[in-house]
Amino acid sequence: GPFELDLLAGQVSFISVEIPNGIYEELEFKFDESTDPNSDLFGKSVLIQGTVNGTPFIFWHNFEDEVEVDFEDSQLDIVIQNNTNELILNFDLSLVFDVTSGVDLSKAADGNGDGIIEISPIDQDGNNAIAQSIKNNIKAAIDLLDD
């Protein structure tokens, strides 16, 4: 890495590596700020843009954090044995913004009245708590698929 992924582009292949034979309980990776000054992600680790009730919003965060991902079945491990295996990570963003179990963006406000709902750790619009919840839900919405 680092890798910039467009999760709305459908299935994204972003790395091919050789892993020594063995049994692995989990996959670990790190969110970190982009250092590419030509990227929209520069200085950010996550960037999501869209609309909330017709008003543009931008969520970004610059958190640095390691995420451990395991199969839902705790008895299932990743087994590498002299062959080509493929791991599929599922980033289910619908869980992040699900009104029932995720973050309800309708509660986000355009506190400074500039026409854009800004949700970030900088808190220009008063949405810092929502930014923290989105960050936590993004980390929780990552699963390994055992297909």
Side-chain angles (χ1 to χ4, degrees):
F3 305 101
E4 290 188 16
L5 307 177
D6 180 354
L7 299 180
L8 297 179
Q11 187 170 337
V12 178
S13 296
F14 65 97
I15 188 170
S16 177
V17 296
E18 290 189 26
I19 300 173
N21 289 339
I23 299 173
Y24 301 90
E25 293 180 17
E26 63 193 15
L27 174 67
E28 184 175 295
F29 62 94
K30 183 177 180 179
F31 281 91
D32 206 346
E33 296 178 24
S34 171
T35 57
D36 180 356
N38 298 315
S39 170
D40 289 341
L41 272 172
F42 181 64
K44 303 169 184 72
S45 52
V46 175
L47 174 65
I48 300 173
Q49 299 179 52
T51 60
V52 176
N53 299 323
T55 303
F57 87 90
I58 182 167
F59 162 75
W60 67 268
H61 214 293
N62 57 353
F63 68 95
E64 297 178 21
D65 205 350
E66 291 182 357
V67 177
E68 295 176 354
V69 184
D70 198 353
F71 292 113
E72 288 182 18
D73 179 351
S74 62
Q75 301 303 310
L76 193 58
D77 289 327
I78 301 165
V79 179
I80 306 295
Q81 297 177 336
N82 292 329
N83 58 8
T84 303
N85 290 327
E86 186 174 86
L87 293 176
I88 299 174
L89 290 173
N90 183 36
F91 286 81
D92 191 346
L93 293 178
S94 68
L95 296 175
V96 174
F97 297 110
D98 177 68
V99 176
T100 306
S101 61
V103 177
D104 182 359
L105 286 179
S106 69
K107 296 179 181 180
D110 179 14
N112 63 6
D114 67 355
I116 300 172
I117 297 170
E118 297 157 297
I119 306 169
S120 73
I122 300 232
D123 211 30
Q124 294 174 329
D125 282 340
N127 297 312
N128 188 264
I130 294 173
Q132 187 68 24
S133 294
I134 293 171
K135 175 190 102 166
N136 292 339
N137 282 355
I138 286 172
K139 291 170 40 181
I142 303 169
D143 285 318
L144 274 172
L145 297 183
D146 53 0
D147 294 342

